[in-house]
Amino acid sequence: MDFYGTIGPACAELSTLQQMVRAGMTGLRMNLSHGSLAEHADWLELIQKAGIRTLLIDLQGPELRIGRLASPLTLSEGQQVFLGTGGIPCPACLLDAITPGQKLLLDDGKLLLRVNAVDTALHCTVLRGGLLQSRKSIAVPGVEVSSPTLTDEDLQNLRVAADCGVTGVMLPFVRSAEDIRTLRAALEDAHAGQIQIFAKIENLAGVRTLPEFLPLVDQVVIARGDLGNAMPLWELPRCQKQLASLCRAAGVPFMVVTQMLDSMQTRAVPTRAEVSDIYNAVLDGAASLMLTGETAAGQYPVQAMEYLVKTAQTAL
């Protein structure tokens, strides 16, 4: 099976990447929500020097994120904040889709806001505070916000993807077969039809329509971060099992990702629950496992990869 890390400041050194490869890492993910391929030429050079031949790029797609902040913001419970004009930058499409009383989840649900009023901005109260950094995710439980399948930045990245050594494209928040067809057409237009498509299931629309687009993708990604925001968290394990079952029945490989070893961002040893989670994902038939923040920003990227690979191998 395949084991992916995510490149970021914590592992963007040749020696660290080489150690991760020796630990069993077979490929890397680059999150393009934080910068384009052109802006990451230094990382691309490192990846090539480390001998890593499998590179996935994670597009912006229809995912909702806050914009770039001058510096991280500490939001406190009860604080009044604005999203939009004069406040925290956010996609304009949110203003048309949200009504007062709606709750917003930021950064995979770490922060929670309630919308009190909507005009040129969303007037919000912080219900659960924390540190908010640039380009973190926004989830709107129960509301489908209209947004394009691919952003202009996505299209620019796809045009140079093949020349940059990209082997797979991850499309966030897949909602229907049409999203996959749109991406496939964009790859063909970029003369990059050989690049594989990884469809990320992160919302209820994707869960509902998965059987329709399963034949169109190379791999399904059960992305539990935003998927866990789309439903009560206690329902997420059942949903993961159901998605895995559908993929197995269709003979389509699937990946499990998000918080596989989250505690290892700050601890050298994972929890018992985390290694059990990895083991069970392999037993369910996962073809790939991926680490995100653990390798991109964590303190122990090499050790995290070792635990991921060694735990998975005990289930094979």
Side-chain angles (χ1 to χ4, degrees):
M1 65 184 302
D2 290 319
F3 301 100
Y4 293 92
T6 297
I7 191 166
C11 68
E13 294 182 357
L14 182 58
S15 61
T16 303
L17 290 177
Q18 289 172 332
Q19 289 179 69
M20 291 166 67
V21 170
R22 287 195 292 271
M25 184 178 73
T26 57
L28 269 177
R29 162 188 176 256
M30 187 181 293
N31 186 356
L32 297 186
S33 292
H34 302 288
S36 68
L37 279 169
E39 291 171 319
H40 289 313
D42 54 340
W43 286 2
L44 292 169
E45 184 178 355
L46 274 176
I47 292 167
Q48 185 178 26
K49 286 182 178 179
I52 298 167
R53 293 183 174 82
T54 303
L55 174 61
L56 308 183
I57 54 172
D58 201 342
L59 300 178
Q60 295 180 47
E63 182 174 20
L64 301 171
R65 288 179 177 267
I66 67 162
R68 298 194 183 279
L69 304 172
S71 59
L73 297 176
T74 298
L75 303 184
S76 304
E77 183 177 339
Q79 182 180 348
Q80 305 300 303
V81 297
F82 299 92
L83 269 66
T85 304
I88 297 169
C90 71
C93 57
L94 281 177
L95 300 177
D96 297 325
I98 291 179
T99 56
Q102 176 67 48
K103 292 182 178 179
L104 305 177
L105 292 160
L106 308 184
D107 192 5
D108 287 343
K110 293 184 178 70
L111 295 86
L112 176 64
L113 311 182
R114 182 185 63 240
V115 178
N116 302 316
V118 181
D119 44 39
T120 58
L122 304 176
H123 300 241
C124 304
T125 299
V126 178
L127 302 181
R128 181 168 63 242
L131 185 68
L132 180 63
Q133 301 186 63
S134 294
R135 303 295 299 155
K136 291 301 181 180
S137 63
I138 304 173
V140 189
V143 176
E144 293 190 10
V145 181
S146 177
S147 53
T149 301
L150 299 171
T151 65
D152 290 341
E153 291 85 354
D154 289 334
L155 293 171
Q156 292 172 16
N157 284 315
L158 292 175
R159 291 186 193 107
V160 300
D163 291 336
C164 292
V166 172
T167 58
V169 174
M170 305 178 77
L171 181 62
F173 286 86
V174 174
R175 300 160 294 190
S176 66
E178 189 57 33
D179 283 339
I180 302 301
R181 294 190 185 100
T182 298
L183 174 56
R184 182 69 72 186
L187 285 170
E188 294 291 347
D189 288 345
H191 306 289
Q194 76 281 6
I195 292 178
Q196 293 190 325
I197 291 179
F198 290 66
K200 296 178 74 177
I201 310 302
E202 300 186 276
N203 53 25
L204 295 180
V207 172
R208 287 194 304 268
T209 61
L210 177 61
E212 299 173 15
F213 61 80
L214 264 174
L216 306 178
V217 304
D218 296 288
Q219 195 159 155
V220 168
V221 182
I222 303 175
R224 303 177 301 181
D226 282 292
L227 188 57
N229 290 332
M231 62 187 69
L233 200 52
W234 52 84
E235 294 181 6
L236 179 61
R238 180 179 64 186
C239 183
Q240 177 177 329
K241 297 283 187 183
Q242 291 170 339
L243 294 173
S245 178
L246 284 170
C247 291
R248 287 197 308 272
V252 176
F254 68 93
M255 173 192 294
V256 179
V257 62
T258 313
Q259 295 183 333
M260 303 298 293
L261 291 168
D262 190 61
S263 71
M264 290 195 73
Q265 293 203 50
T266 56
R267 298 174 68 247
V269 177
T271 68
R272 275 63 175 164
E274 287 169 333
V275 291
S276 295
D277 178 42
I278 293 168
Y279 188 91
N280 280 306
V282 178
L283 289 186
D284 286 344
S288 310
L289 300 176
M290 177 181 286
L291 299 179
T292 53
E294 299 95 333
T295 59
Q299 297 175 22
Y300 303 97
V302 176
Q303 293 91 329
M305 186 57 63
E306 288 175 344
Y307 271 103
L308 180 74
V309 174
K310 289 180 177 179
T311 304
Q313 287 176 340
T314 65
L316 293 174

